[in-house]
Amino acid sequence: MNSWEKAYRKTDNLWGDRVDRSLIEYSSLLNDGDPVLDLGMGEGRNAHYFAAKGHPVTGVDYSSSAVRRCQELCIESGFEMETIVADMTQFPVPSSSYSLIIISNVLNFFHPDEIQRIIQKAISGLVVGGMIYIQAFNRNDPAYARNEKMAKKVDQGTFYREKNDTYIHFFTLDSLLDYFTGFEVLVVTESYRLDLTHGEPHHHGIIEMLVRKQAG
Ligand SMILES: C[S@@+](CC[C@H](N)C(=O)[O-])C[C@H]1O[C@@H](n2cnc3c(N)ncnc32)[C@H](O)[C@@H]1O
């Protein structure tokens, strides 16, 4: 059992129900019925927002407990969404299919080669005019310094954590923007924020980005 599944089994509603603010602010760029994909959706705090607005939403996560909780919340709230238990590194994103793809707080947990493949898949899954939303930790995140002391450094931003056989990568803004050459940049921010959503209050160094695919 992976560490995410263990965490979801310990508590209900691990990440709370606060929707990422930029998604609310820019949701008016979507037309009624535009399809949305949330990769690594957790219990679906962002996915639910769009499902409640009537968008066809697909949410993917490899924790079956998170996906079950997401479906329970849909039933409680009276809306529908498609939920899939799958590893997002293997999940085949259909090409030119989505108007919004959300990858929030999950892209850090891969080797850079996998990150590249996930982003390429997401880009090809977008319709022209479609948007990708990413929230990810940058190198100001306190976990970067902790990993420098405790984990094996693979490259400048990447660590291998032997204990659970996983990688963690911390982005720079430029390295993330590089994937989206030719895209319109709608939102790009870096911040150092207090996180009160889970566990003891703690801080994160965060990059938030919303980009839109252009024709051609
Ligand atoms: C920090 S949580 C974020 C959840 C959600 N995106 C949010 O912002 O509330 C990271 C999520 O990514 C999922 N995840 C991690 N690696 C994954 C993978 N390879 N395939 C699918 N889901 C994965 C975990 O199960 C977990 O639900």
Side-chain angles (χ1 to χ4, degrees):
M1 188 193 308
N2 66 55
S3 54
W4 296 108
E5 179 63 25
K6 275 188 203 148
Y8 285 116
R9 286 186 188 195
K10 272 192 213 142
T11 173
D12 276 352
N13 210 354
L14 188 56
W15 310 111
D17 51 13
R18 184 187 51 79
V19 182
D20 289 333
R21 201 186 166 93
S22 298
L23 288 174
I24 299 176
E25 282 174 14
Y26 285 82
S27 61
S28 61
L29 294 179
L30 293 179
N31 294 314
D32 287 351
D34 276 351
V36 175
L37 173 67
D38 191 340
L39 291 173
M41 65 161 178
E43 295 134 324
R45 64 190 176 90
N46 288 318
H48 288 149
Y49 174 75
F50 292 97
K53 285 166 79 77
H55 291 279
V57 177
T58 302
V60 177
D61 201 288
Y62 71 178
S63 160
S64 52
S65 295
V67 170
R68 190 176 329 109
R69 181 70 189 138
C70 175
Q71 271 302 347
E72 284 166 6
L73 290 168
C74 286
I75 292 164
E76 281 166 26
S77 309
F79 50 74
E80 289 183 2
M81 66 175 268
E82 179 185 32
T83 53
I84 300 173
V85 178
D87 183 335
M88 58 192 267
T89 61
Q90 309 297 322
F91 179 70
V93 178
S95 63
S96 305
S97 298
Y98 295 99
S99 299
L100 173 65
I101 299 181
I102 301 165
I103 314 175
S104 188
N105 295 314
V106 61
L107 213 45
N108 293 99
F109 306 110
F110 299 96
H111 185 279
D113 293 345
E114 283 180 331
I115 292 171
Q116 178 167 21
R117 284 197 288 274
I118 292 165
I119 292 179
Q120 289 311 332
K121 228 170 16 174
I123 288 174
S124 83
L126 281 185
V127 297
V128 171
M131 298 176 282
I132 294 183
Y133 174 79
I134 292 174
Q135 193 174 131
F137 302 144
N138 65 17
R139 291 179 199 172
N140 291 331
D141 193 282
Y144 181 79
R146 279 202 301 276
N147 276 280
E148 276 215 303
K149 282 192 198 130
M150 293 159 40
K152 184 179 165 203
K153 199 166 190 170
V154 175
D155 66 29
Q156 192 50 35
T158 313
F159 301 92
Y160 174 67
R161 299 184 294 185
E162 212 168 81
K163 194 172 150 216
N164 33 7
D165 187 23
T166 55
Y167 290 91
I168 185 158
H169 178 78
F170 296 87
F171 291 91
T172 63
L173 187 54
D174 286 347
S175 70
L176 200 48
L177 277 172
D178 275 353
Y179 289 109
F180 299 102
T181 307
F183 277 61
E184 179 186 7
V185 178
L186 299 171
V187 173
V188 62
T189 65
E190 284 195 277
S191 56
Y192 190 73
R193 284 191 217 160
L194 182 64
D195 186 348
L196 300 171
T197 61
H198 59 109
E200 292 295 314
H202 56 285
H203 286 84
H204 284 299
I206 290 178
I207 296 174
E208 199 180 14
M209 172 179 299
L210 181 69
V211 293
R212 182 152 61 170
K213 191 175 189 173
Q214 305 295 290

